[in-house]
Amino acid sequence: MSKREVEIAVISDVHLGTYGCHAKELLKYLKSIKPKMLILNGDIIDVWQFSKRYWPETHMKIVRKLMKFVVEGVPVYYLTGNHDELLRKFADMHMGAFHLQNKLILEIDGKKAWFFHGDVFDVTMQHSKWLAKLGAVGYDTLILINSFVNWCLASIGREKMSFSKKIKAQFKDAVKFINKFEYTAAELAVEKGYEYVICGHIHQPEMRTIKTEEGEVTYLNSGDWVENLTALEYYDKSWKIFKYDQKDFEKDEVEEGVLSDSEDLHSKLDINTLLQKIKLEIA
């Protein structure tokens, strides 16, 4: 399968280290593209829920693939989110093609774009972080149960379902929160003179023009790799939302060269030790 060329690819809310992460699907997606720039817009590694009892090989392969992009000279911007907020103390760190930042401002074909995770708009995060962390654990448990139910449904030829989407759809407050989140991001972007504002955090892929009292802006959200399996792509002067579809990725792409699929990274990158050290910073 030939790789699709994209100028910018944006992913967020991968939540590596949790049961809900669709690392296998994400890896297939990353292998299918040839980006000129990759932006990781927060919550890539879930430090909140990390346990060394759960770090499967597919999660390691995601780290390896991201490292491969860096080694190949593709600029990779890791923008911190709330689940990997511990990395914020290392913000503005640059190592070759890898850049760790809290936000990113780019000029894309003459238009200014503002990238950031978006948790700054979440009142729960600002005032009741313990409640947000408790909710994250509950969400991951729901996803785990949902995965088992979907396995059962698939085994009898039934269509898969999403518990969390059904729950969100039934609660008007969830819809209000999403709408307020999007409008707040748009207001600030217009105020700062940006044409694009690109967020993650709410696991809701979106691309639309939002008008405020001061002007209008294109709001984009990359969604997540827990439920929606989506990314944002910029190519030929336009943005689009990429949605993963299993039928398009039947064949697994095998990569050779530096950090190839055949190379064992466990001896070179002990992710469990690394994340355990990060967790100690929380205490």
Side-chain angles (χ1 to χ4, degrees):
M1 183 173 65
S2 60
K3 296 180 183 291
R4 288 188 302 107
E5 292 192 8
V6 294
E7 292 178 42
I8 303 173
V10 185
I11 62 173
S12 68
D13 301 274
V14 176
H15 295 276
L16 289 172
T18 67
Y19 293 101
C21 171
H22 283 261
K24 182 180 178 181
E25 291 82 356
L26 174 58
L27 184 62
K28 287 184 177 181
Y29 167 69
L30 292 174
K31 285 183 177 182
S32 75
I33 61 172
K34 187 178 180 182
K36 291 183 179 179
M37 179 185 297
L38 178 63
I39 299 173
L40 312 174
N41 203 0
D43 287 2
I44 305 302
I45 298 175
D46 198 319
V47 180
W48 280 7
Q49 300 176 74
F50 169 72
S51 168
K52 69 177 183 178
R53 293 189 302 274
Y54 187 76
W55 185 267
E57 186 180 355
T58 51
H59 292 216
M60 175 67 75
K61 286 182 177 179
I62 294 296
V63 176
R64 175 173 60 191
K65 180 56 183 172
L66 297 177
M67 290 175 64
K68 187 174 176 64
F69 279 130
V70 172
V71 170
E72 291 172 345
V74 177
V76 175
Y77 290 88
Y78 191 128
L79 308 184
T80 56
N82 50 301
H83 284 253
D84 45 22
E85 64 181 346
L86 233 58
L87 297 175
R88 285 178 175 162
K89 63 172 67 178
F90 306 110
D92 299 322
M93 179 181 72
H94 309 280
M95 295 186 298
F98 179 78
H99 310 275
L100 178 65
Q101 301 175 197
N102 292 330
K103 61 182 179 180
L104 175 65
I105 298 169
L106 294 176
E107 186 166 314
I108 306 171
D109 290 322
K111 295 182 178 181
K112 287 186 177 180
W114 183 27
F115 299 81
F116 63 103
H117 185 62
D119 56 294
V120 291
F121 299 146
D122 195 332
V123 176
T124 307
M125 277 299 306
Q126 294 175 18
H127 302 291
S128 303
K129 192 173 291 186
W130 66 270
L131 185 60
K133 290 184 178 182
L134 182 63
V137 173
Y139 176 74
D140 199 42
T141 303
L142 181 67
I143 293 296
L144 185 59
I145 296 170
N146 201 167
S147 298
F148 174 73
V149 171
N150 280 336
W151 178 84
C152 295
L153 289 172
S155 66
I156 59 175
R158 297 283 296 278
E159 187 178 348
K160 293 181 179 180
M161 61 185 295
S162 171
F163 287 178
S164 59
K165 283 184 180 179
K166 288 184 178 293
I167 291 171
K168 287 176 185 177
Q170 291 176 8
F171 285 91
K172 292 182 179 179
D173 286 346
V175 176
K176 286 181 181 178
F177 170 77
I178 290 172
N179 289 336
K180 187 175 181 181
F181 176 96
E182 294 174 347
Y183 191 79
T184 302
E187 274 189 320
L188 283 173
V190 169
E191 185 180 306
K192 292 175 179 288
Y194 301 127
E195 281 86 3
Y196 300 118
V197 56
I198 299 97
C199 301
H201 187 58
I202 57 174
H203 294 211
Q204 186 71 29
E206 184 64 85
M207 180 175 64
R208 66 188 178 101
T209 299
I210 298 179
K211 295 183 179 181
T212 72
E213 293 181 357
E214 301 297 325
E216 66 178 41
V217 67
T218 300
Y219 165 84
L220 301 107
N221 195 298
S222 44
D224 68 289
W225 286 86
V226 176
E227 295 176 79
N228 296 292
L229 281 60
T230 53
L232 290 170
E233 295 179 351
Y234 185 80
Y235 183 74
D236 198 20
K237 297 186 178 182
S238 65
W239 286 98
K240 75 168 187 176
I241 296 175
F242 171 87
K243 173 72 174 175
Y244 181 90
D245 190 334
Q246 179 62 39
K247 71 175 184 292
D248 297 328
F249 294 88
E250 294 298 333
K251 184 180 178 181
D252 191 13
E253 193 81 7
V254 177
E255 295 188 329
E256 300 298 335
V258 180
L259 297 177
S260 66
D261 289 341
S262 61
E263 186 174 357
D264 180 16
L265 273 190
H266 287 278
S267 60
K268 298 182 178 180
L269 181 64
D270 188 343
I271 199 70
N272 290 332
T273 301
L274 174 64
L275 292 181
Q276 283 290 69
K277 288 180 180 179
I278 291 175
K279 279 192 74 176
L280 289 175
E281 296 285 345
I282 300 176

